[in-house]
């Protein structure tokens, strides 16, 4: 399919909503696989481990395994190992992702051993993001803990509509504590570098498909990856109009991606 060798794909809002496949997405991913393209599912999802995500998607018919999935928690674990080896970390997250944080020393605040954490790690928002938890995190930051966040997403799409996400709380923590979070997931350039290394492709050989114009598409384009915006999931016409840049391609659904790739292949052949 032209010069494209790899496709990076967001999951929530692109392939699924509330983990239910969107129309035509299973078939489209199969077609992309059969064309011989490398595939990585790159997600800021922090409520499930890579293995759990793979099982859910495979049960729905998607041709994927855990090795195809790169999550913000997995990239966060690598970031902490590189920049804060041995650090005591307190995790604020909705969902059990300990399996993807191997090698990270997580502090159980309920046990209270008296030693303050070195790093506050913020994952995905949920019921755990109440006043008491946020105030504890604020206290740690005041005492000098570093702030590492898996993403800045403001909301995500579920079968019940848009739901508030981490970015809304993170902005408050940063402003109150006068610190700036280190972002490890999308739109971090390091995340896209990790994804490209995962599929063994250069930036000019890859496409990124997402429903978040800023964190998925334009962030990928800044990393040199071709960006494809889908009009599903959290896509809103207003955010499209008000975005900081223009996507390379816009399609109605991931189901339309094989046709786009065929068109790109035809254009590449005409240029030879």
């Amino acid at each position: 399919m032209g010069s494209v060798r790899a496709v990076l794909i967001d999951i929530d809002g692109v392939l699924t909503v509330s983990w239910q496949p969107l129309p035509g997405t299973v078939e489209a991913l199969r077609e992309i696989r059969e064309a011989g393209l490398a595939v990585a599912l790159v997600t800021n999802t922090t409520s499930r481990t890579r293995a759990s995500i793979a099982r859910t998607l495979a049960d729905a018919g998607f041709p994927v395994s855990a090795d195809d999935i790169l999550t913000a928690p997995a990239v966060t674990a690598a970031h902490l190992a590189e920049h804060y080896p041995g650090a005591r970390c307190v995790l604020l997250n909705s969902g059990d992702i300990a399996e993807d944080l191997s090698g990270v020393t997580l502090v159980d605040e309920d046990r209270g051993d008296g030693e303050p954490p070195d790093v506050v790690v913020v994952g995905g928002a949920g019921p755990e993001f109440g006043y008491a938890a946020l105030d504890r995190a604020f206290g740690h930051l005041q005492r000098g803990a570093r702030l590492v966040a898996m993403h800045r997403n403001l909301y995500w799409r579920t079968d019940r509509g848009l739901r508030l996400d981490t970015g809304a709380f993170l902005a408050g923590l940063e402003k109150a504590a006068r610190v700036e979070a280190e972002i490890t997931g999308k739109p971090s350039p390091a995340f896209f570098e990790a994804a490209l290394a995962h599929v063994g492709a250069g930036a000019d050989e890859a496409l990124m498909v997402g429903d978040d114009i800023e964190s998925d598409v334009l962030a990928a384009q800044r990393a040199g990856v071709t960006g494809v915006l889908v009009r599903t999931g959290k896509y809103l016409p207003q955010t499209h109009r008000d975005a900081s840049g223009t996507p390379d391609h816009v399609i109605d659904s991931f189901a339309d991606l094989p046709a786009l790739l065929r068109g790109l292949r035809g254009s590449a052949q005409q240029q030879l």
Side-chain angles (χ1 to χ4, degrees), residues 20 25 59 66 88 93 99 122 136 143 145-146 160 162 165 169 173 183 196 209 215 218 222 238 246 256 259 261:
Q20 296 301 308
T25 56
D59 288 346
R88 293 165 48 81
N93 181 67
E99 181 181 321
V122 180
R136 282 198 302 270
R143 289 187 289 272
R146 303 300 293 267
R160 292 179 291 172
L162 295 177
D165 208 347
F169 303 98
L173 278 177
I183 307 299
L196 291 169
V209 187
S215 293
L218 299 182
R222 287 192 292 272
Q238 181 175 348
T246 303
D256 300 319
L261 289 167

Side-chain angles (χ1 to χ4, degrees), residues 2 7 16 24 28 32 35 37 39 41 48 50 61 63 81 84 101 117 119 130 134 154 164 209 225 244 251 257 261:
V7 183
T16 66
I32 290 166
L37 299 178
V39 168
L41 306 187
R48 300 188 181 203
R50 295 168 63 234
Y84 303 106
L101 292 174
V119 182
L134 290 166
L154 292 171
L164 199 63
V209 187
V225 177
S244 61
I251 56 179
L257 186 64
L261 289 167

